[in-house]
Amino acid sequence: MKKIFLSIALLSLASSCNDYLDIKQEGYKEAASFFKTQDDAIQATSAIYSFLRSWENSAFPYQFVFGVPADDVVKGSNPGDASFINEYDNFTFTVSNEGIRGYWIGQWQGLNSCNQVITNVPKIDMDSALRTRLVAEAKMLRAYLYFNLVRIYGGVPIFDGLQSNYKVPRNSVEEVYNFIISDLTSAAEILPQSYPASDLGRVTKGAALGLLSKVYLYKKDWQKAYDTSNQVMAMGYDLDPDFNHVFRPSGEFGKESVFEVNCDCIPPLKGSQYAEVQGVRDQFGWGFFTPSSALENAFEPGDIRKELTILRNGETTPEGDLIAMGDAQSVTTYNQKVYVPKALNKSACGYGSIQNIRILRFAEILLINAEAANELG
């Protein structure tokens, strides 16, 4: 009899515990009940933009694979700090390296968010024009992420929307580029040329066409790169006459901005670590990914861009900050394009977290146009 009562007591306790465990967590929505409303569609699309400021896409993994292997960037910091980054400068990294692996995973996380929108938002009963635009935004951003992947990893699997089977072979490089072009072309037909202030940072027609011109340049399709960049040049963009202003917070979303990630520090979002990992060591940030001597030597004498690109220990910035790093073993030059004046930093987030990430500027569109024109004779 005692065993029976004990069993009943244990069953009652288990039932009671399950009741407590079944309490829904406040502030969260179950996946099965998502993608039902217009607000769900907006939130899902906004989540893609949040990814663009993530660690994988703006900080270490991104800088590992796109920055250090190039001629313009060195590891930075002091010799003993994160010395594994030198593998990228020496081209001795392998497929299992954490940066290569992290960037790969990060891009696919972003692509999954894009495909969630592309697959699910068309099914929602909502404003039809907004629904069409959100899907176009997701396609533009999907193209950008695939462009990142194909440049680093070559041919990768193409997933056009959510799949039941993800274990498929890689597509060819040519197939990936054609998929990117298809996404950008269809997005450009729908996206607006501008947004109200409340939506700054959303991708535009100019961003889609600008990225498309760059894709054509990588494919060496010179005529299409030339024609598409000409379209962007006719859309009202212009160069900022103040080179320093372009890269300061006051210059964000200016007339030179074609594709820019909004990184404002608005809780619960914490900006990004894009500027922090590159900021002056032991003063503003970690001191990584700094200008190389090859970059410094590439400037012609008197080029004002040189001193506004390279931030030096001991100088006083135009905004009044004395650069006085605290690590005697560190490099002595830093990336001034990510510098955020001390007076503008927000205590709610890390250093430089408000610094937007300029993915595509009008200056680059002009260079794409010039290179294509040169190749065409």
Side-chain angles (χ1 to χ4, degrees), residues 155-194:
V156 295
I158 294 174
F159 300 118
D160 188 4
L162 298 179
Q163 310 290 315
S164 57
N165 175 31
Y166 286 93
K167 293 183 178 180
V168 298
R170 291 182 176 217
N171 290 82
S172 68
V173 169
E174 184 69 16
E175 288 170 333
V176 176
Y177 269 114
N178 289 339
F179 184 67
I180 292 168
I181 291 168
S182 175
D183 265 359
L184 291 174
T185 302
S186 63
E189 292 174 354
I190 295 163
L191 293 172
Q193 283 194 224
S194 62

Side-chain angles (χ1 to χ4, degrees), residues 45-115:
T45 310
S46 296
I48 308 172
Y49 289 96
S50 295
F51 163 77
L52 296 181
R53 58 166 73 177
S54 70
W55 173 262
E56 292 83 6
N57 210 50
S58 68
F60 264 29
Y62 164 75
Q63 296 289 349
F64 287 170
V65 300
F66 272 114
V68 176
D71 295 331
D72 294 345
V73 180
V74 295
K75 176 184 81 73
S77 186
N78 67 47
D81 190 13
S83 58
F84 63 88
I85 297 176
N86 287 320
E87 293 177 13
Y88 292 87
D89 201 19
N90 299 328
F91 292 95
T92 57
F93 56 86
T94 66
V95 292
S96 61
N97 184 280
E98 189 58 34
I100 292 292
R101 178 176 174 274
Y103 194 69
W104 170 268
I105 291 172
Q107 301 314 295
W108 287 112
Q109 287 173 334
L111 283 166
N112 176 62
S113 295
C114 293
N115 281 331

